[in-house]
Amino acid sequence: MIVALSLMLSVCHAQNLLNKSVSISVRNKPVSDVLKIIGDQGNFSFSYNSDIIPGDSLVTITMHSKSVKQILEMMLRGNYQYKESGDFIIIQKTPKEKFYHLTGQIIDSESGKTVDYASVYSRQLLVSSLTDEEGIFKLKMRDRNFPISLTVSKVGYADTTIIVNSEFSLPLNITINPKAIDLDTLIVIYSEGGNSWLTRLFVSSRVRLQSRNISRFFVALPYQISLTPGLSSHGRMSSQIVNKLSINIYGGYTAGVNGVEIGGLFNISKKDVRYLQMATTFNAVSGHFTGVQVVGIYNQVLDSLVGVQISGFAGWTKGNLKGVQMAGILNKISGNLKGVQISGGGNITKGKTNGGQVSGIFNKSGKEIHGFQIAGGVNIGNENVFGPQISGIGNISKRETNGLQVGSLFNYTKNLKGVQIGIVNLADSSSGYSFGLLNIVKKGKGAIVVYGNEILPLNLAWKSGSKKLYNIFTIGSSIGGSKAYTFGFGIGREFKISKNLTLNTEITDQNIYLGRWRDLPVLYRFQTGLNIKLNKSLTLSAGPAFSMFYSEQKEFNSNYQSFSDKGFLRFKMSRNTQAWLGWQGGLSWNYGSIF
């Protein structure tokens, strides 16, 4: 207990030496004499090295009722530190620090209030700081190379630059003037750089605030190395520097690259990037990209791209792309494409496509296509298509198709000026050709026909397609007497002769049921018909026909026809094939375009 009390008294005594109040008034006295006067008043002594403090230097000082420490700092005016030991105050030179700090406060000139989150930086030394909620900043400096030029920037205020001549002018009080925000072209173009979701996710709010404050100041330097955004060889100024070589251990946030950038995980650039950018996770560029961009997962360019973009998962270019875009799953271009998109999943171009899209599942172009689309699933063109669409399932052209549509299931276009090949072909209007099982043209050929011929008195046919080429689905039946039934498929073409007169040429392949399904006889029939328009919907038609009847049946069931007495000018073509001339005539109800 006694020992502890002694220690406490000793500590209190030591702490009181520098805080003792003394008065001094001397004129041109040596430092050694002044220190002795102060020591005599406080009943203590000074210990110091004469090489550090020249005792014969003359000083003039007048201070009343001030602490010993205050008088020493005013008199010595240097980098000294003071230690207390018993009845001695030891004066030593302050160890030279690797860094030192410029401190101060930023104040609004109109309101007199402090300004929070303002950027204070040196353009020459490339160091910066951000004020806190009280407007106070602390700028870390490497060397005391005075004078130093400092600039204060914040959105909504005019940039203010001051000159700091020495550290004795610290702390600084800097006033800045409010100013209306100037939304010039530069800010508008790159305003999204600090606001993209990747930047918001991986770059701290303080770094983004500073980048926004100093949006007009950029410097080009040879290289930079960073661990994470804001922790780099350029410090928090990295977002204002364009580098020729940028190495990011985990990730980096730079103004741009004019050479090579490699990121362990990611790279983020505010402005343009040229030549090569590589990362394992993602690349995000807010300006233009020229060169090769390679990433393991996701590439993002918020302006245009000229070159090659290769993404393991997905790639997106918000502007135009000129070159090649490749991705494992999805490619997206919000502007125009002049080149090729290749992906395992899908390709999307919101603008025009001048080139090609190749994907495993789907391709989509928002505007005209001058090129090709090849997909394992579906191709979609929102406007005119000039070129082939080839898919494993179907093709859609929402306006005009000048080319080829090949789909294993379906094809659709609003206006066909080319060729469609698929099971089902659909068009609103057509001046081209559709080849498939079912061809439907909304403003083309569409008719239900009831007719008779030399074979069967009652036949029904559905004709659908365009006048250049339409499909025919037909069934027929006998009436009373010997029975016979037919069903088949064919194609036809219509030629316009006059306003109310057209000519059809048709070829059909019909199966004939004559009592058993095995070895069904086949009827190949070529026929023409002259069509006379009766009114808006009805047409009367009639014309000659040529038929070839093939049957391996030697005997026919009773009550069924043998087709041995059909037509005229009958002749035998082979052992199982007979041919003859015939006729057909009937009435058509037209629901499509008439003549």
Side-chain angles (χ1 to χ4, degrees):
M1 181 71 176
I2 297 173
V3 173
L5 182 60
S6 300
L7 289 173
M8 290 177 62
L9 291 172
S10 176
V11 169
C12 292
H13 174 73
Q15 289 178 337
N16 286 334
L17 294 181
L18 286 169
N19 293 327
K20 281 187 174 182
S21 179
V22 297
S23 298
I24 188 77
S25 179
V26 297
R27 184 177 182 81
N28 293 327
K29 284 276 188 182
V31 170
S32 57
D33 293 347
V34 177
L35 291 176
K36 189 175 186 311
I37 294 172
I38 297 172
D40 290 342
Q41 288 190 45
N43 295 319
F44 59 83
S45 300
F46 286 99
S47 174
Y48 58 90
N49 190 331
S50 59
D51 293 334
I52 297 174
I53 300 177
D56 55 354
S57 297
L58 302 180
V59 295
T60 298
I61 185 170
T62 299
M63 297 184 74
H64 298 283
S65 299
K66 299 294 182 181
S67 69
V68 172
K69 185 176 181 180
Q70 287 178 307
I71 295 174
L72 290 175
E73 288 178 345
M74 179 60 68
M75 181 177 66
L76 298 179
R77 291 182 178 271
N79 295 318
Y80 297 99
Q81 63 181 11
Y82 312 104
K83 294 182 179 181
E84 301 176 359
S85 178
D87 291 331
F88 287 91
I89 293 179
I90 303 170
I91 304 175
Q92 296 176 326
K93 195 73 172 177
T94 302
K96 188 175 182 180
E97 296 179 354
K98 189 174 181 180
F99 298 99
Y100 78 102
H101 297 87
L102 292 180
T103 60
Q105 192 172 40
I106 309 302
I107 300 170
D108 187 306
S109 63
E110 293 186 359
S111 66
K113 296 181 179 179
T114 58
V115 181
D116 58 356
Y117 306 116
S119 294
V120 183
Y121 60 100
S122 168
R123 295 173 182 262
Q124 293 77 25
L125 302 178
L126 295 179
V127 292
S128 64
S129 178
L130 203 64
T131 61
D132 61 15
E133 292 82 356
E134 302 299 325
I136 296 172
F137 69 89
K138 189 176 184 180
L139 194 62
K140 189 176 183 180
M141 312 291 286
R142 185 176 294 274
D143 298 309
R144 290 177 168 83
N145 294 325
F146 294 100
I148 296 172
S149 174
L150 292 184
T151 300
V152 182
S153 297
K154 184 178 179 178
V155 175
Y157 289 86
D159 287 357
T160 301
T161 300
I162 66 167
I163 303 298
V164 181
N165 291 307
S166 72
E167 58 188 299
F168 298 112
S169 57
L170 301 178
L172 301 168
N173 286 321
I174 306 173
T175 58
I176 57 177
N177 301 316
K179 179 184 178 183
I181 299 175
D182 184 13
L183 294 176
D184 61 11
T185 305
L186 182 65
I187 293 177
V188 172
I189 289 177
Y190 297 114
S191 61
E192 296 186 64
N195 293 323
S196 70
W197 67 273
L198 287 172
T199 306
R200 292 194 298 270
L201 185 62
F202 289 94
V203 180
S204 70
S205 59
R206 292 182 68 86
V207 174
R208 285 187 282 116
L209 271 172
Q210 180 154 282
S211 176
R212 186 183 177 198
N213 288 339
I214 320 175
S215 60
R216 299 172 184 270
F217 173 66
F218 295 100
V219 177
L221 290 177
Y223 69 92
Q224 76 94 28
I225 300 175
S226 70
L227 183 64
T228 61
L231 187 59
S232 75
S233 56
H234 298 321
R236 291 180 179 174
M237 293 293 285
S238 62
S239 62
Q240 310 308 121
I241 298 172
V242 178
N243 305 281
K244 290 185 177 180
L245 175 63
S246 177
I247 304 296
N248 303 310
I249 307 303
Y250 291 108
Y253 182 42
T254 65
V257 177
N258 191 22
V260 177
E261 183 169 47
I262 300 174
L265 291 177
F266 63 87
N267 302 304
I268 302 176
S269 297
K270 286 175 57 179
K271 296 180 68 181
D272 302 341
V273 173
R274 297 176 65 188
Y275 304 127
L276 178 62
Q277 187 179 56
M278 301 175 65
T280 59
T281 305
F282 72 84
N283 292 311
V285 177
S286 297
H288 305 276
F289 187 93
T290 304
V292 179
Q293 189 179 45
V294 183
V295 77
I297 297 178
Y298 178 62
N299 277 316
Q300 180 188 80
V301 177
L302 295 183
D303 208 293
S304 61
L305 184 147
V306 178
V308 179
Q309 187 181 65
I310 302 173
S311 312
F313 182 79
W316 177 42
T317 298
K318 189 171 184 181
N320 301 327
L321 187 145
K322 184 178 181 181
V324 179
Q325 188 181 46
M326 303 174 65
I329 302 298
L330 179 67
N331 286 314
K332 182 179 178 181
I333 302 171
S334 297
N336 301 322
L337 167 65
K338 191 172 184 180
V340 180
Q341 281 182 311
I342 302 171
S343 79
N347 296 307
I348 298 173
T349 298
K350 289 189 174 182
K352 294 180 180 179
T353 298
N354 285 276
Q357 293 177 310
V358 181
S359 73
I361 300 176
F362 75 94
N363 295 307
K364 182 178 180 181
S365 179
K367 294 186 178 179
E368 282 191 353
I369 300 173
H370 292 264
F372 61 88
Q373 287 183 316
I374 301 174
V378 179
N379 292 311
I380 301 172
N382 281 349
E383 293 190 3
N384 300 334
V385 177
F386 297 88
Q389 287 182 310
I390 301 172
S391 72
I393 296 176
N395 301 296
I396 297 173
S397 173
K398 294 185 179 180
R399 292 196 180 177
E400 184 179 294
T401 296
N402 286 269
L404 175 66
Q405 282 187 321
V406 180
S408 62
L409 293 182
F410 74 91
N411 296 297
Y412 167 77
T413 183
K414 187 172 184 180
N415 182 16
L416 177 63
K417 291 187 177 181
V419 177
Q420 288 179 318
I421 301 174
I423 295 175
V424 179
N425 297 306
L426 307 172
D428 286 7
S429 62
S430 175
S431 59
Y433 298 90
S434 297
F435 297 94
L437 180 62
L438 179 60
N439 302 316
I440 298 176
V441 179
K442 185 177 179 181
K443 297 178 182 178
K445 178 72 174 179
I448 303 296
V449 184
V450 179
Y451 66 97
N453 55 32
E454 81 283 0
I455 302 172
L456 296 173
L458 181 61
N459 295 276
L460 184 66
W462 175 38
K463 301 179 180 180
S464 178
S466 68
K467 293 179 176 62
K468 283 188 174 182
L469 185 67
Y470 56 86
N471 287 347
I472 306 167
F473 296 89
T474 180
I475 58 174
S477 175
S478 61
I479 301 177
S482 297
K483 294 184 288 185
Y485 304 97
T486 66
F487 57 93
F489 175 80
I491 58 173
R493 177 165 180 164
E494 184 175 283
F495 300 90
K496 185 175 182 179
I497 298 175
S498 66
K499 182 179 179 181
N500 295 317
L501 196 64
T502 61
L503 178 69
N504 288 343
T505 58
E506 299 172 346
I507 300 174
T508 60
D509 177 358
Q510 302 176 51
N511 292 103
I512 304 174
Y513 179 75
L514 299 175
R516 65 179 185 179
W517 290 103
R518 182 182 177 183
D519 298 328
L520 288 177
V522 179
L523 180 68
Y524 301 102
R525 187 173 176 87
F526 174 77
Q527 63 189 30
T528 63
L530 194 63
N531 307 305
I532 301 173
K533 182 179 178 182
L534 301 179
N535 59 33
K536 183 178 180 180
S537 300
L538 297 177
T539 301
L540 185 65
S541 64
F546 174 73
S547 298
M548 292 186 297
F549 177 76
Y550 173 83
S551 176
E552 294 182 356
Q553 296 182 24
K554 303 301 180 182
E555 296 181 0
F556 296 89
N557 294 353
S558 60
N559 299 326
Y560 282 89
Q561 299 183 29
S562 65
F563 279 74
S564 60
D565 57 348
K566 301 298 182 181
F568 58 95
L569 296 180
R570 189 182 184 91
F571 61 94
K572 192 170 184 177
M573 297 183 68
S574 68
R575 185 168 63 88
N576 296 322
T577 305
Q578 298 181 53
W580 63 81
L581 295 178
W583 59 270
Q584 57 85 25
L587 188 66
S588 300
W589 173 63
N590 302 281
Y591 61 85
S593 177
I594 304 300
F595 295 176

